Amino acid sequence: LKNLIDRMGEVNLMAIEEFEELHGRHEFLTTQRADLDSALKQLERAITKINRTSRRLFRETFDAVNALFKDLFPKLFNGGRAELRLTDEQDLLDAGVEIFAQPPGKKNTTVEMLSGGEKALTAVSLIFAIFLFKPSPFCILDEVDAPLDEANVDRYSDLIRKLTDRSQFIVITHNKRTMEIADRLYGITMEEPGSSKLVSVDFKAFAAAA
């Protein structure tokens, strides 16, 4: 027995205090883990709800914008047809959106196969379809009409004029036909070398005075 006691070594007089300290630490960590498990479950439920709502809103928005896009495209191109398609109907949150367009007299193809002017007019159709679904206060169009021919510029300008009842358009252009639809015109001129000057014309005020 004496040899056994000797092999056990000295008695740890702090064992009770160390046990109580470790026991308290264990209970604290157990409580923290339970809180984390609960928070994780709440987060997973929130993510599931957000994803479900996002899928529903995306589907509604996509279908509405697609319908407007299908309606606007033939108006701007004076014929033809176009539509938006999802790359993956099963996974809406990770799916891409492809634009298929068929101008008059051409085969149905993706937007990458169109000419510069056709791409610009297709992009305008899509942008305005989004505006018709959910207008924003301002829209800035920078040289969008540059690759368009005169007939397309006229249709493009007419559509902008129709949408001014819900949004204010700031159009940067060098095309005289587009300038004709503006309420106010701003330009930069250089009367003297190295000195730029802003020139503005308020067509509404001019028409009223006339």
Side-chain angles (χ1 to χ4, degrees):
L1 291 175
K2 185 175 183 303
N3 290 334
L4 178 61
I5 292 172
D6 290 340
R7 288 197 303 270
M8 292 175 63
E10 297 180 357
V11 176
N12 183 6
L13 300 178
M14 302 295 295
I16 295 177
E17 288 80 358
E18 291 177 0
F19 169 78
E20 291 178 350
E21 181 181 351
L22 292 174
H23 180 68
R25 180 65 176 169
H26 178 266
E27 288 186 341
F28 171 77
L29 293 176
T30 301
T31 302
Q32 292 295 307
R33 177 176 178 177
D35 291 342
L36 289 174
D37 289 340
S38 176
L40 180 60
K41 291 179 180 178
Q42 292 179 6
L43 182 60
E44 289 174 344
R45 288 195 295 268
I47 291 174
T48 300
K49 182 178 180 181
I50 291 171
N51 287 343
R52 183 169 58 250
T53 303
S54 298
R55 289 188 187 95
R56 178 179 58 82
L57 293 175
F58 177 79
R59 182 83 256 183
E60 293 174 356
T61 302
F62 177 82
D63 291 341
V65 170
N66 197 16
L68 292 167
F69 180 55
K70 290 179 180 179
D71 181 62
L72 279 177
F73 184 89
K75 292 180 180 178
L76 283 173
F77 277 87
N78 199 25
R81 61 189 183 90
E83 65 176 329
L84 304 175
R85 297 179 188 172
L86 295 173
T87 57
D88 187 353
E89 290 283 350
Q90 304 303 319
D91 190 359
L92 296 180
L93 297 183
D94 288 328
V97 177
E98 293 182 330
I99 302 174
F100 288 86
Q102 184 179 4
K106 291 193 174 184
K107 295 181 179 180
N108 188 18
T109 183
T110 59
V111 71
E112 289 83 3
M113 304 300 293
L114 301 177
S115 67
E118 291 169 339
K119 286 181 181 179
L121 212 55
T122 301
V124 169
S125 302
L126 181 56
I127 291 172
F128 287 169
I130 296 172
F131 261 79
L132 287 172
F133 176 71
K134 191 173 183 180
S136 64
F138 294 93
C139 177
I140 299 177
L141 301 173
D142 186 0
E143 299 287 358
V144 174
D145 55 358
L148 304 181
D149 57 27
E150 291 186 358
N152 287 331
V153 168
D154 290 340
R155 288 192 289 269
Y156 161 78
S157 301
D158 290 341
L159 186 56
I160 292 178
R161 171 54 65 183
K162 291 177 181 177
L163 293 176
T164 54
D165 62 338
R166 66 199 74 192
S167 299
Q168 183 174 0
F169 287 85
I170 301 173
V171 181
I172 302 171
T173 182
H174 288 86
N175 193 294
K176 295 179 181 179
R177 289 178 176 270
T178 305
M179 295 179 191
E180 291 174 358
I181 68 166
D183 294 327
R184 293 177 180 84
L185 197 63
Y186 297 90
I188 302 295
T189 184
M190 188 177 292
E191 293 182 348
E192 299 177 2
S195 177
S196 297
K197 179 180 179 182
L198 176 66
V199 178
S200 63
V201 178
D202 188 336
F203 289 126
K204 285 187 174 181
F206 182 79

